[in-house]
PDB file of all heavy atoms in Angstrom:
ATOM      1  N   LYS B 178     160.266 160.943 135.254  1.00 96.00           N
ATOM      2  CA  LYS B 178     159.703 160.962 136.604  1.00 96.00           C
ATOM      3  C   LYS B 178     158.243 161.421 136.626  1.00 96.00           C
ATOM      4  O   LYS B 178     157.633 161.497 137.680  1.00 96.00           O
ATOM      5  CB  LYS B 178     160.550 161.857 137.500  1.00 96.00           C
ATOM      6  CG  LYS B 178     161.915 161.235 137.772  1.00 96.00           C
ATOM      7  CD  LYS B 178     162.821 162.204 138.498  1.00 96.00           C
ATOM      8  CE  LYS B 178     164.168 161.540 138.785  1.00 96.00           C
ATOM      9  NZ  LYS B 178     165.155 162.529 139.243  1.00 96.00           N
ATOM     10  N   ILE B 179     157.714 161.795 135.457  1.00 97.00           N
ATOM     11  CA  ILE B 179     156.319 162.252 135.412  1.00 97.00           C
ATOM     12  C   ILE B 179     155.531 161.409 134.409  1.00 97.00           C
ATOM     13  O   ILE B 179     155.909 161.295 133.237  1.00 97.00           O
ATOM     14  CB  ILE B 179     156.222 163.737 135.011  1.00 97.00           C
ATOM     15  CG1 ILE B 179     157.090 164.595 135.936  1.00 97.00           C
ATOM     16  CG2 ILE B 179     154.777 164.213 135.059  1.00 97.00           C
ATOM     17  CD1 ILE B 179     157.290 166.008 135.436  1.00 97.00           C
ATOM     18  N   LEU B 293     156.818 167.541 140.842  1.00 97.00           N
ATOM     19  CA  LEU B 293     156.489 166.132 140.566  1.00 97.00           C
ATOM     20  C   LEU B 293     157.769 165.294 140.468  1.00 97.00           C
ATOM     21  O   LEU B 293     157.841 164.175 140.963  1.00 97.00           O
ATOM     22  CB  LEU B 293     155.689 166.016 139.262  1.00 97.00           C
ATOM     23  CG  LEU B 293     154.236 166.480 139.304  1.00 97.00           C
ATOM     24  CD1 LEU B 293     153.711 166.734 137.900  1.00 97.00           C
ATOM     25  CD2 LEU B 293     153.348 165.452 140.007  1.00 97.00           C
ATOM     26  N   GLY B 296     159.019 164.505 143.700  1.00 95.00           N
ATOM     27  CA  GLY B 296     158.100 163.708 144.502  1.00 95.00           C
ATOM     28  C   GLY B 296     157.368 164.514 145.563  1.00 95.00           C
ATOM     29  O   GLY B 296     156.677 163.957 146.412  1.00 95.00           O
ATOM     30  N   LEU B 298     154.996 166.632 144.919  1.00 96.00           N
ATOM     31  CA  LEU B 298     153.596 166.487 144.521  1.00 96.00           C
ATOM     32  C   LEU B 298     153.474 165.080 143.939  1.00 96.00           C
ATOM     33  O   LEU B 298     154.353 164.634 143.190  1.00 96.00           O
ATOM     34  CB  LEU B 298     153.217 167.527 143.457  1.00 96.00           C
ATOM     35  CG  LEU B 298     153.129 168.997 143.877  1.00 96.00           C
ATOM     36  CD1 LEU B 298     152.896 169.869 142.650  1.00 96.00           C
ATOM     37  CD2 LEU B 298     152.011 169.206 144.875  1.00 96.00           C
ATOM     38  N   ARG B 299     152.401 164.375 144.298  1.00 96.00           N
ATOM     39  CA  ARG B 299     152.230 163.006 143.800  1.00 96.00           C
ATOM     40  C   ARG B 299     151.305 162.964 142.585  1.00 96.00           C
ATOM     41  O   ARG B 299     151.565 162.297 141.606  1.00 96.00           O
ATOM     42  CB  ARG B 299     151.638 162.106 144.907  1.00 96.00           C
ATOM     43  CG  ARG B 299     152.372 162.119 146.234  1.00 96.00           C
ATOM     44  CD  ARG B 299     153.691 161.374 146.174  1.00 96.00           C
ATOM     45  NE  ARG B 299     153.587 160.136 145.428  1.00 96.00           N
ATOM     46  CZ  ARG B 299     154.630 159.468 144.958  1.00 96.00           C
ATOM     47  NH1 ARG B 299     155.837 159.933 145.139  1.00 96.00           N
ATOM     48  NH2 ARG B 299     154.448 158.344 144.287  1.00 96.00           N
ATOM     49  N   LEU B 330     148.705 164.535 135.911  1.00 98.00           N
ATOM     50  CA  LEU B 330     150.122 164.197 135.924  1.00 98.00           C
ATOM     51  C   LEU B 330     150.444 163.519 137.250  1.00 98.00           C
ATOM     52  O   LEU B 330     149.987 163.970 138.302  1.00 98.00           O
ATOM     53  CB  LEU B 330     150.981 165.463 135.768  1.00 98.00           C
ATOM     54  CG  LEU B 330     150.746 166.318 134.517  1.00 98.00           C
ATOM     55  CD1 LEU B 330     151.585 167.585 134.577  1.00 98.00           C
ATOM     56  CD2 LEU B 330     151.084 165.532 133.263  1.00 98.00           C
ATOM     57  N   GLU B 331     151.211 162.427 137.192  1.00 97.00           N
ATOM     58  CA  GLU B 331     151.566 161.722 138.428  1.00 97.00           C
ATOM     59  C   GLU B 331     153.064 161.544 138.522  1.00 97.00           C
ATOM     60  O   GLU B 331     153.743 161.320 137.520  1.00 97.00           O
ATOM     61  CB  GLU B 331     150.865 160.353 138.475  1.00 97.00           C
ATOM     62  CG  GLU B 331     149.371 160.477 138.660  1.00 97.00           C
ATOM     63  CD  GLU B 331     148.675 159.127 138.785  1.00 97.00           C
ATOM     64  OE1 GLU B 331     149.328 158.156 139.184  1.00 97.00           O
ATOM     65  OE2 GLU B 331     147.471 159.074 138.470  1.00 97.00           O
ATOM     66  N   SER B 332     153.566 161.652 139.741  1.00 97.00           N
ATOM     67  CA  SER B 332     154.985 161.472 139.975  1.00 97.00           C
ATOM     68  C   SER B 332     155.297 159.982 140.055  1.00 97.00           C
ATOM     69  O   SER B 332     154.543 159.209 140.644  1.00 97.00           O
ATOM     70  CB  SER B 332     155.377 162.161 141.272  1.00 97.00           C
ATOM     71  OG  SER B 332     156.698 161.863 141.595  1.00 97.00           O
ATOM     72  N   THR B 333     156.437 159.578 139.460  1.00 95.00           N
ATOM     73  CA  THR B 333     156.829 158.164 139.554  1.00 95.00           C
ATOM     74  C   THR B 333     157.945 157.989 140.588  1.00 95.00           C
ATOM     75  O   THR B 333     158.505 156.918 140.732  1.00 95.00           O
ATOM     76  CB  THR B 333     157.330 157.634 138.194  1.00 95.00           C
ATOM     77  OG1 THR B 333     158.461 158.427 137.798  1.00 95.00           O
ATOM     78  CG2 THR B 333     156.252 157.728 137.144  1.00 95.00           C
ATOM     79  N   VAL B 334     158.266 159.080 141.291  1.00 90.00           N
ATOM     80  CA  VAL B 334     159.347 159.049 142.272  1.00 90.00           C
ATOM     81  C   VAL B 334     158.843 158.419 143.570  1.00 90.00           C
ATOM     82  O   VAL B 334     157.748 158.722 144.017  1.00 90.00           O
ATOM     83  CB  VAL B 334     159.869 160.464 142.555  1.00 90.00           C
ATOM     84  CG1 VAL B 334     161.015 160.434 143.560  1.00 90.00           C
ATOM     85  CG2 VAL B 334     160.318 161.113 141.267  1.00 90.00           C
TER      86      VAL B 334
END
Side-chain angles (χ1 to χ4, degrees):
Chain B
K178 291 172 179 169
I179 306 167
L293 287 162
L298 290 174
R299 307 287 318 163
L330 302 175
E331 291 183 25
S332 173
T333 60
V334 181

